[in-house]
Amino acid sequence: MTEQHDVIVIGAGHNGLVCAATLAKAGRKVLVLERAAQAGGAARTRAFAPGFSVSSGAHLLTHFPEELISELQLQRHGLRLAARELATVSLQADGRHLITEGPHASGPGLSAEDEQAFARFHADTAAYAAILAGAFGRRPPRLVDNDWHDRFGLLKLGWGIRTLGRDRMREVLRIGLMNIHDLATESFTDARLQSAVAFDAILGTGMGPRAPNTVMSYLYRRTADAFGRRGPALPAGGMGAFSAALAAAASARGVDIRLNAGVRTIRVEDGQATGVVLDTGETLSAATVVSNADPRSTLQGLVGYRELDAGVVRRVEGIRMRGMAAKLHLALDALPSFTGLDAARIGERMVLGSSLHGIEEAMNASKYRQFSPEPVLEFCIPTVHDSSLAPAGKHVLSAVVQYAPVDLDGGWTPTARAAFEAAVMARLESVAPGISALVSASELLVPPDLEQEFGMRGGHWHHGEISVDQLLMMRPIVLHAQYAMPVDGLWLCGAGAHPGGGVMGLAGHNCAREILRGRKGA
Ligand SMILES: Cc1cc2nc3c(=O)[nH]c(=O)nc-3n(C[C@H](O)[C@H](O)[C@H](O)COP(=O)(O)OP(=O)(O)OC[C@H]3O[C@@H](n4cnc5c(N)ncnc54)[C@H](O)[C@@H]3O)c2cc1C
């Protein structure tokens, strides 16, 4: 088997699968090696209680481009969406919930001025995010030592900003590095609208609304519009079914996928990657090795720092990847009822974010390796749309909860876990009285569990924080941002590479295209 493959991809996360499928389409013989028993990385479905299944990591499909779905023919390979273009309900303890659907915001007492301001804000941020999205589908351009492709990329970026027109161009330069707290408070008077916008900027990060860069992370989230996703979608069967369709698409193109095949080491000879050694000791060779693992696991864990320059090691050690998002899964005997919420809205994306100040306070605790007694969360009840995940009449609630620091002071002991779960349940009770009595089983996954289950260092959503100093030509580290790693023949195709995380597939797609271009290391 060893001699038959041109490329070995380490990891069958969604990016590894997209990369493999793209290489195979161009005629490369590709072998994917996955440590877990299931493909998909942090986009998997699994049972957490008898009869109840859930998307155990990512739970909403927000960014994967429609174009890539067609290109990979995922529908032909089994992808079905149980729901699409979900609205977002920002839940309020007093029942005066705010609902956003694309450019429309509504809710009791929302002023016409704020409604219009939100529509304008939505249109403006969509235009700014579209420029970012354009850059997401290409390798990030080098500023020095660039070639025509990089220059074209830079030109396109500049041209994109130019075509915004004078007013928007000035505005994007003004707000680009601002914090979302300041932008939200200057844009809206309604506190619910301010915190709803702020929540989308901090989800999946370790930042609070007052952190510089959070307008950038908001725009990052808004790139979804440019990919044809005007609201989150739920794959039928959970995210694992989405990944299964990806794996089927890759297999149909001739990719070999081996599950339960953990890679212990990337073999390096004279500065060139030559293959891998599995946990079992088996050795496999290929001229090109691609890693879907995060950058630190790849370069420290699989390659070993002894193969790298001190400068590279310092930069890899400097990547900020402190996981802050936990998952809570609840098996429910019946649908809960949310005070003041129309029952027809119970299947939407829900956000329990508190005020701008409350979100900041929840983050503040994490700075000191604590969690706040009032965590903030995003959740959905996928079984409203997809009965395959629970027994008839029963339901599953899937929540992403912040801020749960990976390095909690004293560790995530059973007592700490119980206290955190109780804090989340208290928040849910505040908007859905009686929900606790419906819970027949629960599962809490804190960042160390996510690290263990998905192999992502620090349990970090993006394999490295999304902030200006870790984006574009700085991702994962300067001088190695075009997927080729500092070892010839070794490439990085996961969320730690440009453009970053979320189930988006572009890191894998761009990486494959760079390998096919035959640049350094191919
Ligand atoms: C709690 C949480 C909630 C999230 N919610 C959402 C959401 O709702 N929507 C969204 O779009 N995104 C969400 N994300 C982010 C999203 O899940 C990730 O950004 C995405 O999964 C990254 O994909 P990837 O393919 O790059 O890497 P991963 O999904 O991390 O996959 C990497 C794969 O490589 C394998 N691997 C690693 N090392 C080895 C080795 N040595 N040998 C063999 N295999 C190896 C791993 O087992 C894994 O399968 C969430 C993330 C978390 C943690």
Side-chain angles (χ1 to χ4, degrees), residues 298-310:
T298 301
L299 293 172
Q300 181 194 38
L302 297 176
V303 170
Y305 282 160
R306 70 193 172 284
E307 300 288 345
L308 305 172
D309 291 346

Side-chain angles (χ1 to χ4, degrees), residues 10-16 33-36 40-44 57-60 62 261-263 292-293 302 325-327 378 400 450 454-456 459-463 494-495 501-503:
I10 304 167
H14 83 283
N15 273 313
L33 299 168
E34 168 56 51
R35 177 183 285 140
R44 280 187 220 154
H59 59 177
L60 290 166
T62 53
V263 171
N292 183 194
L302 297 176
K327 272 308 288 295
E378 170 199 74
V400 175
L450 298 168
F454 303 123
M456 31 171 59
H460 198 286
W461 181 303
H462 293 277
H463 290 191
V503 180

Side-chain angles (χ1 to χ4, degrees), residues 240-522:
F242 172 80
S243 297
L246 268 179
S251 301
R253 290 181 179 180
V255 173
D256 293 317
I257 302 173
R258 269 177 73 179
L259 302 174
N260 301 305
V263 171
R264 189 202 303 155
T265 317
I266 294 173
R267 286 163 53 216
V268 180
E269 287 163 29
D270 298 329
Q272 168 79 39
T274 56
V276 299
V277 181
L278 302 190
D279 291 337
T280 55
E282 187 184 352
T283 297
L284 300 172
S285 303
T288 300
V289 177
V290 183
S291 175
N292 183 194
D294 66 80
R296 199 172 296 149
S297 297
T298 301
L299 293 172
Q300 181 194 38
L302 297 176
V303 170
Y305 282 160
R306 70 193 172 284
E307 300 288 345
L308 305 172
D309 291 346
V312 169
V313 172
R314 206 177 53 247
R315 279 183 228 121
V316 174
E317 282 296 300
I319 300 172
R320 292 191 310 287
M321 47 198 321
R322 192 171 165 239
M324 287 287 173
K327 272 308 288 295
L328 179 66
H329 306 139
L330 302 179
L332 300 172
D333 283 337
L335 273 179
S337 114
F338 292 83
T339 311
L341 184 71
D342 179 349
R345 291 294 200 174
I346 202 165
E348 309 287 13
R349 169 187 183 237
M350 312 260 198
V351 163
L352 191 41
S354 109
S355 63
L356 272 178
H357 186 70
I359 303 175
E360 192 73 33
E361 286 214 317
M363 189 280 300
N364 277 343
S366 71
K367 285 197 275 195
Y368 307 103
R369 300 172 53 207
Q370 309 286 338
F371 57 78
S372 156
E374 295 208 10
V376 294
L377 49 148
E378 170 199 74
F379 66 93
C380 57
I381 306 180
T383 38
V384 171
H385 308 282
D386 180 2
S387 58
S388 72
L389 299 172
K394 311 223 170 186
H395 289 276
V396 166
L397 184 148
S398 167
V400 175
V401 191
Q402 284 187 216
Y403 298 80
V406 63
D407 51 355
L408 185 73
D409 195 14
W412 284 98
T413 59
T415 312
R417 287 165 188 267
F420 188 70
E421 188 168 331
V424 183
M425 288 311 300
R427 293 233 57 208
L428 285 170
E429 276 287 337
S430 72
V431 289
I435 189 170
S436 309
L438 300 176
V439 177
S440 61
S442 70
E443 175 188 59
L444 175 69
L445 300 174
V446 290
D449 304 323
L450 298 168
E451 175 170 294
Q452 170 88 23
E453 178 151 350
F454 303 123
M456 31 171 59
R457 195 71 73 97
H460 198 286
W461 181 303
H462 293 277
H463 290 191
E465 195 73 2
I466 292 295
S467 62
V468 174
D469 61 320
Q470 294 194 168
L471 277 181
L472 293 162
M473 52 288 274
M474 268 94 65
R475 192 168 187 87
I477 54 170
V478 283
L479 302 182
H480 297 287
Q482 294 184 329
Y483 309 98
M485 291 291 94
V487 170
D488 285 349
L490 175 63
W491 302 79
L492 189 74
C493 75
H498 170 79
V503 180
M504 195 193 280
L506 292 179
H509 197 243
N510 291 349
C511 176
R513 289 196 309 185
E514 285 309 297
I515 293 171
L516 295 172
R517 261 186 202 115
R519 286 169 55 82
K520 177 178 169 281

